[in-house]
Amino acid sequence: MGVKHFSFNSENGTDEFYLAVTPDRVESHFEVQMGDVFSHYLEKMKELCLSEDSAVWANIYLSDCINQEYLLREHPSFIALDSHAAISVVEGKPVGVKLAILVYLIRPCQSINKRSVSMPGSYHTANGVVFGTGSIEHIVIKNMLPSKGQTMKEQANDLFNQVECFLDKMKLPFNRLIRTWIYIRDIDKDYGDMVAERNAFFQKQGLSQSTGFPASTGIEGRSKDPKHLIMMDSLMIKGVAKGQIRRMEALSHMCSTVDYGVTFERGMEVVYGDRRHYYISGTASISPDGRILHGGDVVRQVERTVENISALLESHGAGLKDLAYLVAYIRDSEDEDKVRAALNHILSENLPYLLVAGKVCRPGWLIEIEGTGIIKEGDKGFSPYLMV
């Protein structure tokens, strides 16, 4: 427990950090654990010489949103973080504790153009940040919730329409939506309806297997309001050139997602002048022909899932050593010790990762893992990620 961080040092003097923060006193009540988390966060910020405005985005995972979110939002450290970063607060229960935080930060943040942005027509909790320099801007939207609709199809349609309206506002084509995170209150019941609505919506936007789809994670998660069946986070990029965004595949290990009727990519590679980013979708223990592998054996599913992620990265010039962070979702929190032991055996001991209890879209999958990787080998034909 405590803090693990990944740092990426750019040639232009801009440094970036991913922090995964968990509490120490796991037997204590929520407010004590929250104090631990923010204390660890502030101590690490001081150690890394990061100012409060270095934070760009954060995910805060709670075990019980209804009883905890109002306490979280009243905490001075949350208020300070919220004034600088786009934040998603989701009941995706961090295993073994009551809350955990994943944060992305940039130093020196003063040298980049960072501003808040709102979603037209969205529920009041939606918040976003635009950051970048030069011709490229990155747009992160957090905590999107439906503002209308009773059924999953109606609420999913409302969220996708919100994204469409925002892209229109930003004068961006739909294919600049790079990554989504979709949290579903009852995934065993409603995942199929969300998929059907997403398929129809993407078809209307002209997306297909030939054009490519966004990378995505679809997992159990919820807001504090029971009437919301779905919530969403998203990443968009403005100013990228043709050929800068590339679909990630590893057909030796996993079939294309369209082979079993879903419209997202296994991952998306974004090539910059000074680096490459790899946005790895929620990945599970799947075979090249789309079957679930190692049913009932969570350890072997962990091993196969990480092998699949490794194959995705290796097919695009990277490897597990280049991961910046991971979030691992486990269907049964009783598997915590086995999953942690398996991950700790395979991954670098310094890699920030969080273990979150969440049902996966297929009941036979006991674990799903997502994350982001970065390498320094870019393509000078494109603009850098940040130009300082």
Side-chain angles (χ1 to χ4, degrees), residues 179-385:
R179 179 76 165 88
T180 63
W181 293 260
I182 300 174
Y183 301 100
I184 300 172
R185 180 171 289 273
D186 188 346
I187 196 166
D188 289 337
K189 173 178 175 287
D190 287 332
Y191 182 72
D193 283 346
M194 185 283 292
V195 166
E197 195 59 38
R198 181 174 61 184
N199 290 354
F201 190 82
F202 284 177
Q203 183 177 18
K204 185 181 77 171
Q205 297 298 325
L207 300 186
S208 66
Q209 187 173 15
S210 60
T211 64
F213 302 101
S216 188
T217 296
I219 201 74
E220 181 185 48
R222 62 199 66 183
S223 73
K224 65 181 179 181
D225 192 335
K227 76 172 182 287
H228 291 134
L229 308 179
I230 184 172
M231 61 187 294
M232 186 191 303
D233 296 342
S234 60
L235 168 68
M236 309 161 193
I237 306 180
K238 184 176 184 179
V240 290
K242 183 178 180 181
Q244 200 166 350
I245 301 171
R246 303 170 184 178
R247 169 196 287 135
M248 294 179 70
E249 290 184 312
L251 296 178
S252 61
H253 284 67
M254 296 176 286
C255 63
S256 172
T257 57
V258 297
D259 289 354
Y260 52 92
V262 290
T263 46
F264 68 90
E265 301 298 340
R266 298 293 184 192
M268 293 295 282
E269 175 187 12
V270 184
V271 184
Y272 300 92
D274 61 338
R275 66 176 73 189
R276 296 168 193 260
H277 281 194
Y278 303 98
Y279 297 102
I280 306 297
S281 295
T283 303
S285 179
I286 191 171
S287 71
D289 58 359
R291 293 179 296 109
I292 296 172
L293 291 176
H294 312 305
D297 188 332
V298 70
V299 171
R300 294 189 70 192
Q301 286 203 15
V302 170
E303 293 168 347
R304 176 64 189 203
T305 300
V306 175
E307 181 183 333
N308 286 345
I309 291 173
S310 179
L312 275 173
L313 291 167
E314 288 174 3
S315 67
H316 290 261
L320 294 176
K321 63 179 174 40
D322 301 306
L323 288 169
Y325 76 87
L326 291 177
V327 180
Y329 303 94
I330 60 173
R331 189 172 181 90
D332 185 350
S333 59
E334 293 298 314
D335 288 331
E336 175 188 4
D337 291 344
K338 293 178 181 179
V339 171
R340 285 196 192 278
L343 289 174
N344 292 342
H345 178 70
I346 300 168
L347 302 171
S348 165
E349 63 179 0
N350 297 317
L351 176 66
Y353 78 83
L354 294 177
L355 198 57
V356 176
K359 293 179 180 177
V360 185
C361 60
R362 288 201 215 178
W365 277 330
L366 307 178
I367 186 161
E368 180 172 311
I369 303 176
E370 53 142 295
T372 294
I374 310 174
I375 65 171
K376 288 190 175 181
E377 289 75 23
D379 182 334
K380 297 299 183 183
F382 299 122
S383 297
Y385 177 70

Side-chain angles (χ1 to χ4, degrees), residues 4 11 50 66 69 72 80 109 113 139 180 221 273 279 283 333 342 363:
K4 285 190 174 183
E11 295 177 359
L50 292 163
I66 288 177
E69 186 171 339
L72 173 74
C109 201
N113 174 23
I139 306 156
T180 63
Y279 297 102
T283 303
S333 59

Side-chain angles (χ1 to χ4, degrees), residues 52-71:
E52 285 188 343
D53 70 348
S54 299
V56 177
W57 60 257
N59 293 347
I60 302 182
Y61 301 94
L62 301 179
S63 61
D64 182 2
C65 268
I66 288 177
N67 288 305
Q68 296 166 353
E69 186 171 339
Y70 78 95
L71 294 169

